Amino acid sequence: MSGRFRRPRAKAAPPPGTRWTSDPPRRRAPWPFRGRRLSPSLSVRTLAAQVFLFQALIMLLLVAASAAVLVVQGLYDAERSAGQRSLAVAEAFAHAPGTAQALRAPDPTARLQPMAEQVRKGAGVDFVTVLDQHGVRLTDRRPDLIGTKAQGVGRALLGEAFTETFHGRPADAVRAAVPVTDPSRRVVGVVTAGIEYANVGDVLVRQLPALLGAAAGALALATGGAALVSRRLLRQTHGLGPAEMTRMYEHHDAVLHAVREGVLILGGDGRVLLANDEARRLLDLPEDADRRRVRELGLGPGPTRLLEAGEAVSDEVVRSGDRLLAVNIRPTAPYGGAPGLVATFRDTTDLRTLSGQAELARGRLSFLYEAGMRIGTTLDVRRTAEELSEVAVPRMADFVTVELLDSVLRGEEPTSAVREMRRTALRGTHTGHPLQPVGEVIRFVMADTPMAAALRRGKAVLVPDLRTARDWRARDAGGAQRVLDYGIHSLITVPLRARGVILGMADFWRCAGSPRFDEEDVAVTEELVARAAVAIDNARRYSREHEMAVTLQRSLLPVGLPEQDVLEIASRYLPARSGVGGDWFDVIPLPGFRVALVVGDIVGHGMQAAVTMGRLRTAVLNFSSLDLAPDELLGHLDEMVTRLDSQTATDDDRVPLTGATCLYAVYDPVRGRCAVSRAGHLAPAVVDPEGRVTFPDLPLSPPLGVGGHPFEAGELELAEGSRLVLFTDGLIASRGRDVDEGLATLSAAVAHADRTPEETCRVLVERLLPERPSDDVALLVARTRLLDPSCVAAWDVPFDVTAVPRVRGEVSRRLADWGLAETAFATELILSELLTNALRYGAPPVRVRLLLGRTLVCEVSDGSNTSPRLRRAASTDEGGRGLFLVSQFADLWGTRYAARGKVIWAEQTLDRAAEPDPSLLFDVMGL
């Protein structure tokens, strides 16, 4: 009968006065029309009027809400516009060229008041006020407020610009406050500008007529639309009467019996009023079910309980016979009908089975997805093994153990000896377990254990019931019995394989209270372990490569700082979180007690960047041995970078040298000056002995390899005790901080007069760097010392060879004053040879200088650029033996070029006298 209108059965006419219990002669109208008689025209017109009134009311509420929103939005826009205008005026006035100078004038009010009034009138704000560094008003629109202290400007006095809605004296206003800073970035005053709150509201008042007009227009438009809808409803219904409505009801009744969902309507007394064909089939209702109570129908405990309770139910599944029915119940009273309820039934027997399987599969997919997100979050082998155990407990097993080969733990390639592994991770839901702890060595020596079988087959082995299995007890019968006594009853053991190589083992255990493992669990554990094995292998390979790169980087950086007396130096190098990079530094002692400081940054990261850094550092060391000026050295380095990049341009894996930055500085302790040249690098920070920090404006040249631009050098005057802070961009720049903010933080960190270079490095690392920086960092801090003037002696020599004996005598007396009489012979010999060569082959002016430190340095300078060279003179030569003698008596000697001329220097060690080879001396002298 499903799908067709169910006709009432023929029955005998009841006696007079008897009421019908089912299938009445005249069908009841549906509940929306029950209890009222509708005329063909009145009912439709009344319905149309109700629809019109309801739509008009809704549109009125919408228009009112829209008008309120527009008013609020207008007020917010007015406040924001006022704030933006105030901030622009305050910033323009604060950053004007003469504002900071006017604040330092004897009478700042006289200079600033006319300027402030002119800006206020021209900018369209209500006030422009200038405050001193204590927050006291120096200018104001109201003269009686000058000299009073302003409220709420503390943040601006600390250097922060802000905009706010101020409530207080002298008036509520939208204002902006901007600090005024001097060239050293110290706050010397504050400029405030704003618009009083009463004037902000005037903008909104001017907009109100337009807003109200728009609202009235919208309301009229909505009312007209509702009227048109009501009129259209009258046209579309065509004035249907009771007959037409009855026929419509009959159509609905036919549909009711045609749907594939059981419908049961109960009255307030619990009797059945209506049951469609599907409900009779699903519930096995008797033929005379109409007007009978629910408990009399034999529906079973589940459906009977729900129907008698009379409460709303949504998709509750109950059993009826051999079917699973999804029940929905709703009371009819809230919808305008008589007390009762409507219940619907759907057969979900097959769907329930399929949905259970789908839910199980979805749960496993969700578990594997979550595992993929949680395993391998770090590139650490041990941590990855722990993540595998954390993911699997308790969702997959009660205990999980992970063993790895020792070679894998060390980051090496896995070996074929897989019979011995080290327990790396263990996690469980219970304490006091009998399993071997982390760190112990696990040996798989018995061929018939599940673990050995899994290693041999290369796939998972399932032991559903450990109590009945015997093979797994072969290795340790006592330990196996303790496992059983603890309650562990089921096992899956899976080898960790990646790229066809075994890395370790993962064992999954279940205890009492958990079901046994089955074949479906084996598939899940194999997929889980396969993902973990890939992550472990990636971590192993990364650990090996990272260790190699770090080792290479450390070997290429200075192992220790060289010995020297003029700079107290501390340094730091921190590799990046993702691996080493190309940041580097160096400290190079130069002749004349000068010291070169170098900091550089190579483009890229990894092994290639470290190798590239080593090439540049070696080049700088070689060029520095020529004792070149900083700009000349960078020029030679730039040419080398360009040449090397052009020769290896076809190598796609090579990290380019072009784009590398470098800063080269040479400190002279005699003059207290530091010559600096930089190729695309950040300027250093200079901290004077009082703790004041500056970033000097030094000439900036393009990075290395760009070419086409000459390099320039700047010079710094450094008082004794000053600190020079050289760094790479990784120290101050990061994702959450720009360069300017980083420089400000660095300046605040080093602005202390009593900190040593080592303490300065430690504070900078703590304040500016996270535990694992995203970029590698090189940091070099040097505190200057000056050479004692008493340890410096200089003589201007006339350009005449006869002046040599006089200068030699003065040098001897100075050496005696220094207590170095034992070195007088060698020093006089060196001086005679160098000075004689300068007077014979050089050009004026000629100058001699002695420097005393940990060594004795003798320098002879002249105006010629011709450099002497060492050679072995023949026995018939009259000259050519001077420099050879110098090389025999001096520990080091060499030539450096100045802006005009050259300097030939010789250095002697003071703790031992020079002992030249006598045979060589005799050979030189022709004896």
Side-chain angles (χ1 to χ4, degrees):
M1 298 294 294
S2 176
R4 294 164 47 189
F5 181 76
R6 186 178 182 86
R7 297 183 178 275
R9 296 179 181 274
K11 295 184 180 180
T18 302
R19 299 187 58 185
W20 288 87
T21 59
S22 63
D23 297 321
R26 184 174 60 86
R27 294 188 178 273
R28 295 166 57 88
W31 66 264
F33 308 101
R34 195 175 300 158
R36 64 179 72 174
R37 298 181 64 84
L38 302 177
S39 65
S41 59
L42 181 59
S43 59
V44 177
R45 290 177 180 176
T46 302
L47 180 61
Q50 292 176 351
V51 171
F52 171 76
L53 292 176
F54 182 71
Q55 290 180 341
L57 178 60
I58 291 177
M59 295 309 300
L60 178 61
L61 293 176
L62 290 176
V63 170
S66 300
V69 169
L70 290 175
V71 170
V72 172
Q73 182 65 35
L75 182 59
Y76 171 78
D77 291 341
E79 287 186 12
R80 185 174 64 177
S81 176
Q84 292 174 349
R85 184 188 303 175
S86 301
L87 180 60
V89 173
E91 286 182 340
F93 198 96
H95 299 159
T99 303
Q101 297 177 357
L103 285 169
R104 295 194 297 267
D107 187 6
T109 301
R111 295 182 61 179
L112 294 173
Q113 179 69 13
M115 298 166 57
E117 284 301 302
Q118 183 179 1
V119 171
R120 180 184 67 82
K121 294 176 181 178
V125 295
D126 291 336
F127 62 89
V128 176
T129 304
V130 183
L131 315 176
D132 63 9
Q133 58 185 354
H134 302 292
V136 177
R137 293 182 176 89
L138 299 177
T139 69
D140 198 274
R141 183 186 63 179
R142 293 170 50 183
D144 58 315
L145 295 179
I146 296 177
T148 61
K149 193 167 184 178
Q151 302 176 3
V153 295
R155 289 188 292 167
L157 294 175
L158 294 177
E160 177 185 357
F162 64 93
T163 304
E164 65 176 358
T165 301
F166 173 75
H167 297 283
R169 300 183 60 191
D172 297 345
V174 176
R175 72 175 185 180
V178 178
V180 182
T181 58
D182 59 10
S184 64
R185 303 178 71 176
R186 185 165 54 93
V187 177
V188 298
V190 175
V191 176
T192 65
I195 300 175
E196 294 183 356
Y197 203 78
N199 296 334
V200 173
D202 292 343
V203 178
L204 180 62
V205 171
R206 291 193 298 268
Q207 295 176 352
L208 280 178
L211 293 177
L212 295 178
L219 180 59
L221 182 61
T223 304
L228 292 175
V229 170
S230 300
R231 184 176 178 183
R232 184 171 182 83
L233 179 61
L234 288 174
R235 287 201 308 268
Q236 290 181 343
T237 55
H238 300 289
L240 291 177
E244 290 81 1
M245 291 295 182
T246 300
R247 188 163 55 252
M248 185 182 300
Y249 165 73
E250 290 177 348
H251 295 163
H252 292 170
D253 197 23
V255 173
L256 177 67
H257 290 284
V259 296
R260 300 299 299 175
E261 186 169 292
V263 178
L264 191 67
I265 301 178
L266 303 181
D269 56 357
R271 296 180 181 274
V272 177
L273 299 180
L274 177 65
N276 71 344
D277 293 342
E278 187 67 10
R280 293 178 181 274
R281 184 184 69 83
L282 294 177
L283 299 174
D284 292 328
L285 294 178
E287 294 294 334
D288 57 347
D290 295 337
R291 304 303 300 175
R292 294 178 62 179
R293 296 184 180 275
V294 172
R295 69 174 62 94
E296 301 172 358
L297 301 177
L299 302 180
T304 302
R305 175 180 55 83
L306 294 178
L307 294 173
E308 287 187 337
E311 298 177 354
V313 173
S314 296
D315 290 331
E316 182 167 342
V317 178
V318 297
R319 181 171 293 279
S320 177
D322 58 351
R323 295 188 179 94
L324 291 175
L325 304 180
V327 182
N328 289 273
I329 298 177
R330 294 293 183 271
T332 59
Y335 304 99
L341 57 87
V342 177
T344 62
F345 304 87
R346 293 195 316 276
D347 190 354
T348 62
T349 304
D350 297 336
L351 181 61
R352 190 72 173 180
T353 303
L354 294 176
S355 64
Q357 296 175 354
E359 185 66 24
L360 181 60
R362 183 165 57 249
R364 288 173 174 169
L365 289 175
S366 175
F367 169 68
L368 292 175
Y369 173 77
E370 180 183 348
M373 299 296 293
R374 292 177 56 185
I375 298 176
T377 58
T378 65
L379 291 172
D380 182 84
V381 174
R382 296 180 184 272
R383 180 56 192 155
T384 305
E386 293 171 356
E387 289 172 343
L388 169 59
S389 62
E390 292 171 359
V391 168
V393 175
R395 294 181 62 177
M396 194 66 202
D398 295 315
F399 285 95
V400 172
T401 59
V402 181
E403 294 83 42
L404 296 177
L405 297 172
D406 282 335
S407 58
V408 174
L409 292 174
R410 293 191 300 267
E412 302 172 359
E413 286 292 335
T415 63
S416 58
V418 296
R419 300 298 183 184
E420 186 175 293
M421 302 181 186
R422 189 172 301 276
R423 180 148 292 172
T424 309
L426 189 155
R427 191 174 185 86
T429 58
H430 303 77
T431 58
H433 56 79
L435 301 176
Q436 292 173 272
V438 172
E440 279 202 17
V441 175
I442 311 297
R443 295 179 175 86
F444 309 105
V445 296
M446 304 300 294
D448 53 353
T449 61
M451 293 76 172
L455 291 174
R456 185 174 60 254
R457 301 174 190 173
K459 61 180 181 179
V461 171
L462 168 65
V463 183
D465 190 353
L466 293 173
R467 289 184 293 267
T468 60
R470 298 296 176 184
D471 52 359
W472 77 286
R473 305 187 188 192
R475 183 172 63 89
D476 184 5
Q481 188 59 45
R482 288 192 296 271
V483 169
L484 292 177
D485 294 341
Y486 186 80
I488 297 177
H489 61 78
S490 191
L491 165 69
I492 295 179
T493 179
V494 189
L496 281 157
R497 294 171 57 91
R499 299 182 294 115
V501 179
I502 293 180
L503 308 176
M505 291 287 297
D507 298 326
F508 299 82
W509 313 79
R510 281 185 180 175
C511 297
S514 299
R516 298 177 181 177
F517 286 116
D518 56 22
E519 293 297 335
E520 293 292 336
D521 296 322
V522 172
V524 176
T525 55
E526 284 186 325
E527 178 66 23
L528 176 64
V529 171
R531 299 187 182 193
V534 172
I536 290 174
D537 189 56
N538 289 339
R540 177 195 63 79
R541 298 173 66 184
Y542 169 79
S543 299
R544 182 187 61 183
E545 294 179 2
H546 183 264
E547 184 65 26
M548 293 174 58
V550 169
T551 302
L552 175 62
Q553 176 83 345
R554 298 292 186 186
S555 66
L556 294 175
L557 288 172
V559 177
L561 299 178
E563 294 184 0
Q564 43 82 35
D565 294 331
V566 300
L567 289 175
E568 180 185 356
I569 299 177
S571 63
R572 292 288 190 278
Y573 172 76
L574 283 81
R577 177 174 59 246
S578 59
V580 298
D583 289 13
W584 57 285
F585 65 89
D586 213 340
V587 179
I588 308 172
L590 297 176
F593 303 126
R594 296 169 303 129
V595 179
L597 302 176
V598 192
V599 173
D601 189 356
I602 305 298
V603 178
H605 291 85
M607 185 83 69
Q608 291 292 334
V611 173
T612 303
M613 178 274 292
R615 300 171 73 182
L616 274 189
R617 178 171 178 256
T618 302
V620 172
L621 285 172
N622 291 333
F623 288 138
S624 65
S625 65
L626 302 176
D627 210 349
L628 301 173
D631 52 339
E632 295 180 13
L633 185 143
L634 290 184
H636 287 293
L637 195 63
D638 180 69
E639 293 177 2
M640 186 203 75
V641 168
T642 303
R643 184 167 58 253
L644 290 178
D645 271 350
S646 62
Q647 291 174 355
T648 56
T650 59
D651 189 355
D652 295 335
D653 296 332
R654 182 190 57 82
V655 175
L657 290 170
T658 299
T661 66
C662 183
L663 183 147
Y664 187 84
V666 177
Y667 174 67
D668 186 352
V670 178
R671 299 187 304 160
R673 294 183 178 180
C674 184
V676 183
S677 183
R678 55 193 183 119
H681 204 84
L682 295 168
V686 178
V687 187
D688 65 13
E690 304 299 325
R692 293 184 293 268
V693 183
T694 58
F695 294 91
D697 186 13
L698 297 170
L700 176 63
S701 302
L704 299 175
V706 175
H709 299 275
F711 289 88
E712 300 181 58
E715 196 167 64
L716 303 175
E717 292 279 352
L718 300 178
E720 186 169 11
S722 299
R723 278 172 291 162
L724 195 62
V725 183
L726 287 72
F727 52 90
T728 55
D729 58 356
L731 180 68
I732 60 174
S734 63
R735 290 183 179 179
R737 180 180 61 207
D738 58 17
V739 173
D740 292 337
E741 183 181 354
L743 290 176
T745 305
L746 182 147
S747 178
V750 301
H752 295 272
D754 55 348
R755 281 188 178 152
T756 64
E758 183 64 28
E759 292 172 341
T760 303
C761 286
R762 177 177 52 80
V763 170
L764 286 174
V765 171
E766 290 176 354
R767 294 193 182 181
L768 288 171
L769 295 178
E771 182 178 355
R772 296 292 302 276
S774 58
D775 191 10
D776 52 336
V777 176
L779 173 63
L780 195 62
V781 180
R783 183 158 62 184
T784 62
R785 298 170 182 164
L786 293 178
L787 197 63
D788 193 337
S790 63
C791 296
V792 180
W795 297 271
D796 291 322
V797 181
F799 199 70
D800 188 354
V801 178
T802 60
V804 173
R806 178 183 61 80
V807 175
R808 189 168 57 238
E810 293 180 359
V811 168
S812 297
R813 287 189 291 274
R814 177 55 61 93
L815 292 176
D817 294 339
W818 285 345
L820 301 176
E822 68 277 4
T823 64
F825 174 76
T827 305
E828 289 180 12
L829 179 61
I830 293 172
L831 175 65
S832 297
E833 294 298 335
L834 296 182
L835 186 56
T836 301
N837 282 340
L839 293 174
R840 286 183 176 179
Y841 307 112
V846 178
R847 183 177 176 84
V848 174
R849 187 170 70 165
L850 288 183
L851 303 176
L852 177 60
R854 65 171 55 220
T855 60
L856 178 65
V857 178
C858 177
E859 297 180 346
V860 177
S861 62
D862 67 85
S864 172
N865 289 326
T866 302
S867 176
R869 60 187 180 89
L870 179 65
R871 66 185 181 89
R872 179 177 292 275
S875 59
T876 58
D877 292 341
E878 295 183 359
R881 300 175 177 85
L883 287 182
F884 183 83
L885 292 175
V886 170
S887 67
Q888 292 299 309
F889 281 91
D891 293 283
L892 295 171
W893 75 278
T895 304
R896 71 172 181 268
Y897 294 94
R900 293 183 57 189
K902 66 179 180 298
V903 177
I904 304 178
W905 56 270
E907 183 175 326
Q908 302 175 73
T909 303
L910 298 179
D911 57 357
R912 62 178 180 85
E915 298 180 357
D917 187 353
S919 62
L920 291 176
L921 291 179
F922 288 145
D923 183 53
V924 170
M925 302 301 297
L927 299 177

